[in-house]
Amino acid sequence: MENTTVENKFKTPIIIVSVVIPLAVVLLFSIRLKDFGINVEPLSFLPPIYATINGITALLLILGVVAIKKANRALHNKLMTSAIACSVVFLLMYVAYHMTAEPTSFGGEGIIKYIYFFLLITHIVLSVTIIPLVLFTYVRALSGQFESHKKLAKITFPLWLYVAVTGVIVYLMIAPYYV
């Protein structure tokens, strides 16, 4: 199978996943299990865990870039695959937490409030944007389209790193206001 054919084969599934995931998160974010008679204690232990996973994702991304700069393609592949796996685990924990807990309001005032909301909004917008970028970048590597992969990775990497790092920062900023 030709390399561009491989990417074309995955184009529709990637677009579908890239639309379905954010829509599912929005939908699930607004659902509380208790509203359906399911009495589950809030999974309040999850936010520090998924924030840590965001930090691990950032570290894996940086190590992945270092590995490829040292021409260690096998290690790069393992690190980037691990970063994707961490992102999936993060997403599952994030949704589970929000389905069991009430929303937490940021209690900071003044300039810190504006900084928090700037980071939160850019984090959310880019976390949606990054889904197809990561998936197309990954498929290009798997299909051997390394020049095309490299070109897209130069866009994907800094955005994904920003999402991972701001996820940790947003958590640290809101953590004092968790009930």
Side-chain angles (χ1 to χ4, degrees), residues 28-40 98-102:
L28 294 172
F29 195 83
S30 64
I31 293 172
R32 301 288 175 270
L33 292 178
K34 68 179 182 177
D35 296 339
F36 296 94
I38 302 170
N39 293 322
V40 176
H98 285 286
M99 288 180 72
T100 63
E102 294 300 319

Side-chain angles (χ1 to χ4, degrees), residues 104-118 120 170-178:
T104 301
S105 297
F106 182 72
E109 296 179 5
I111 189 74
I112 198 72
K113 182 177 181 178
Y114 295 106
I115 292 169
Y116 171 79
F117 282 110
F118 173 80
L120 178 63
V170 165
Y171 164 74
L172 292 173
M173 292 179 81
I174 200 165
Y177 304 104
Y178 281 120

Side-chain angles (χ1 to χ4, degrees), residues 34-51:
K34 68 179 182 177
D35 296 339
F36 296 94
I38 302 170
N39 293 322
V40 176
E41 288 295 315
L43 301 175
S44 55
F45 63 92
L46 286 179
I49 295 170
Y50 62 67

Side-chain angles (χ1 to χ4, degrees), residues 113-134:
K113 182 177 181 178
Y114 295 106
I115 292 169
Y116 171 79
F117 282 110
F118 173 80
L119 291 173
L120 178 63
I121 291 166
T122 57
H123 171 80
I124 291 168
V125 169
L126 290 174
S127 69
V128 171
T129 306
I130 200 66
I131 297 168
L133 289 173
V134 167

Side-chain angles (χ1 to χ4, degrees), residues 53-75:
I53 290 171
N54 265 332
I56 292 168
T57 301
L59 182 60
L60 290 168
L61 293 172
I62 292 166
L63 292 173
V65 168
V66 170
I68 202 64
K69 297 261 185 211
K70 292 184 175 183
N72 191 338
R73 191 177 284 178
L75 179 60

